[in-house]
Structure formats: structure tokens, C-alpha cells
Amino acid sequence: MIIKDLGTVTGKMLVMGGIYSNLQALNAFLAQPDAHDVAADHIICTGDIVAYCADARACAEHVRDLGIVTIAGNCERQIAAGADDCGCGFENAPTCSLLSRGWYAHALDQTTVGLRHWMADLPDWITFIHRDKRYVVVHGGASDISKFVWPTVNDADIRAELALINQEIGRVDCVLASHTGIVMDRTVDGVRWYNSGALGMPAHAGKQTTSYAVIDDDIETHDLVYDAQAAHDAMVAVGLVQGYHDSLLSGYWPSEESLPPELHR
Ligand SMILES: [Fe+2]
């Protein structure tokens, strides 16, 4: 496992979850006022730079070339390995598996050899200290890069993940995780488990806006308004019309079965 330590970071930081190959969302995020006075090395991506949308290559090149700090998501790990599926852990969700054959193949096809090498070298976890609090950034969970820590999970499951983190790197005050694409903010035994949601796909809640987080005195979730129609049209133009293109506009996923029942519409 690759763990990268950033040391002590001062000043405002931004956190984005899965970009999911959504170049329109990434560009809008980088252009909005919250990002104006934040250097790229204060922007954290929690993995899955590439996934459902049209522009895997451009998104990965942006993150790499701007020097945004990122861990690998399951998508980066699978693409770096040349695997034939996204490794997301939705084996029991046939619609999701079926849909992934479309977008994953597209993302794999767009990713250059250089990007695959870059993805292979990305850390699994990142640690840093900010305002005297120790953070760790993981993708899904500590037990598995594709662990789904949904907002509905019970405290015992989070406690088990925290125990693994503690075993590996010692106590932290906050875990920044992603993979589910849904905002979550829970504190268990004094440790905060926070998920900013995805930047590149709205949560399964009927809204087009996506989300990111600002870390300053506290962690705040912010909505991102961007040109979802353009992102949708870019997907259509490259033949990604299996369902997630409509999700950008409707705010509902085509793979509801992959969600816990409490999160169904
Ligand atoms: Fe993921």
C-alpha cells in the first residue's frame, strides 16, 4: 500500500470526490470562487477521476498536470492494471455491471500509457495535519478500496474501518472518503467520517447539482452548479447512452439497486 504524507497544511483546502470523467464539472469547480485563492496542492481528490462520463483522458491529464493532490480510486487502479472491469464491488447489481461495460471500456480506451503509469503510482491513502487535526484520505474504506460506506451504515461498521486505520497509521481525527458518490458526515468515537459526494455525478436525489467540500475552520459541503447539459451532450457524442447520461440531467441513477433500500427514491 502506498501512503503519502503531506505534513502540515495551512490555509483553506478543497475536497472533491469522484470526477467520473466529467470535464464540464471539473472545469466549473476549478473556476468557481471557492477555488480562486486555493493552490492545486491544497485541492484533494478522493479518487475515481475517471468513470461514467465522456472525458476520461482530459480529466486525468488536468488533475495530473495541475498538480492536484489525489489518491487512486478503484477506477484508477483497474485502468492502471488494464483490467476488464471497474472493480467497483457492485457484483450484486446487474444493471450497474451491465452499464459499466459501456463507460469503463470508453475510459480504458481513452487512457494513454503515460496516464496508466501515473495512475499506478498514485497513493492509496494520503495523510496530513490541518489546524491541529490529523486527516487520512481513503477511497472506499480501509478494509477495501471499493468498500461502500453509505450514509446508512451503522456505527459498528465505521468503527471496524477506523480500527484498521488506527492499526496502520495510528489515530486520526477525520477520514475523508468517497466511492459511494453520496454526501456523508458522521462522527464515531470522536472520529469524523466525511464524504463530500461526487463532483462528476449528482447524488441519487433528483437534482443536477453535484458537490464538493471546503476545509477551513470546519468541513463544509458546497453544491456545484455546472453545465450538466453540455456534459450530457458530450456523453451522447461518444456513444455513452446507456443511462448515466440521463442521470446528469435527472439526478437519478439508472442503477438504483446498487444503493441501500433507504436511499432508493
Ligand atoms: Fe470508486
Side-chain angles (χ1 to χ4, degrees):
M1 182 160 69
I2 308 169
I3 301 176
K4 179 178 180 179
D5 180 36
L6 305 180
T8 299
V9 182
T10 57
K12 185 167 82 171
M13 301 180 76
L14 300 181
V15 180
M16 57 175 157
I19 301 167
Y20 296 162
S21 308
N22 188 334
L23 185 61
Q24 290 74 17
L26 177 59
N27 283 336
F29 167 75
L30 294 171
Q32 43 85 32
D34 276 330
H36 282 174
D37 56 349
V38 178
D41 64 359
H42 281 49
I43 302 177
I44 303 266
C45 174
T46 53
D48 287 352
I49 301 157
V50 301
Y52 311 110
C53 301
D55 293 296
R57 177 175 177 170
C59 288
E61 287 178 344
H62 265 42
V63 171
R64 180 192 64 185
D65 298 345
L66 290 172
I68 290 170
V69 180
T70 185
I71 58 169
N74 52 291
C75 291
E76 285 73 52
R77 281 287 178 262
Q78 294 295 96
I79 283 177
D84 59 8
D85 67 49
C86 65
C88 74
F90 276 145
E91 288 83 1
N92 296 323
T95 305
C96 186
S97 295
L98 196 64
L99 295 175
S100 77
R101 287 181 205 158
W103 65 258
Y104 180 81
H106 175 76
L108 187 65
D109 189 50
Q110 278 205 344
T111 311
T112 62
V113 171
L115 282 172
R116 288 188 198 181
H117 287 158
W118 172 73
M119 289 175 179
D121 290 338
L122 291 176
D124 298 285
W125 295 5
I126 284 172
T127 56
F128 63 91
I129 292 171
H130 184 267
R131 293 189 187 273
D132 296 326
K133 288 191 170 63
R134 186 165 186 241
Y135 289 75
V136 64
V137 185
V138 305
H139 183 63
S143 59
D144 190 333
I145 192 172
S146 292
K147 171 82 176 176
F148 289 100
V149 180
W150 299 107
T152 53
V153 76
N154 61 43
D155 284 359
D157 285 348
I158 294 178
R159 202 167 277 129
E161 296 296 315
L162 295 178
L164 291 171
I165 290 171
N166 194 56
Q167 193 178 309
E168 188 69 33
I169 59 169
R171 185 178 166 85
V172 298
D173 299 293
C174 183
V175 180
L176 301 175
S178 56
H179 188 56
T180 64
I182 295 184
V183 173
M184 172 174 174
D185 192 355
R186 180 96 60 88
T187 298
V188 176
D189 300 337
V191 182
R192 191 171 183 178
W193 189 285
Y194 178 82
N195 185 332
S196 69
L199 192 83
M201 183 66 63
H204 187 63
K207 294 193 306 181
Q208 285 187 5
T209 52
T210 63
S211 57
Y212 63 94
V214 177
I215 304 181
D216 210 342
D217 290 329
D218 195 3
I219 306 175
E220 290 182 349
T221 309
H222 290 208
D223 285 342
L224 178 72
V225 177
Y226 78 102
D227 191 346
Q229 184 69 53
H232 164 276
D233 294 350
M235 290 183 73
V236 172
V238 296
L240 289 175
V241 291
Q242 294 82 14
Y244 286 110
H245 64 309
D246 284 336
S247 303
L248 295 176
L249 302 181
S250 70
Y252 288 111
W253 300 353
S255 50
E256 187 173 63
E257 82 232 15
S258 60
L259 286 155
E262 302 92 318
L263 299 177
H264 289 194
R265 57 169 123 168

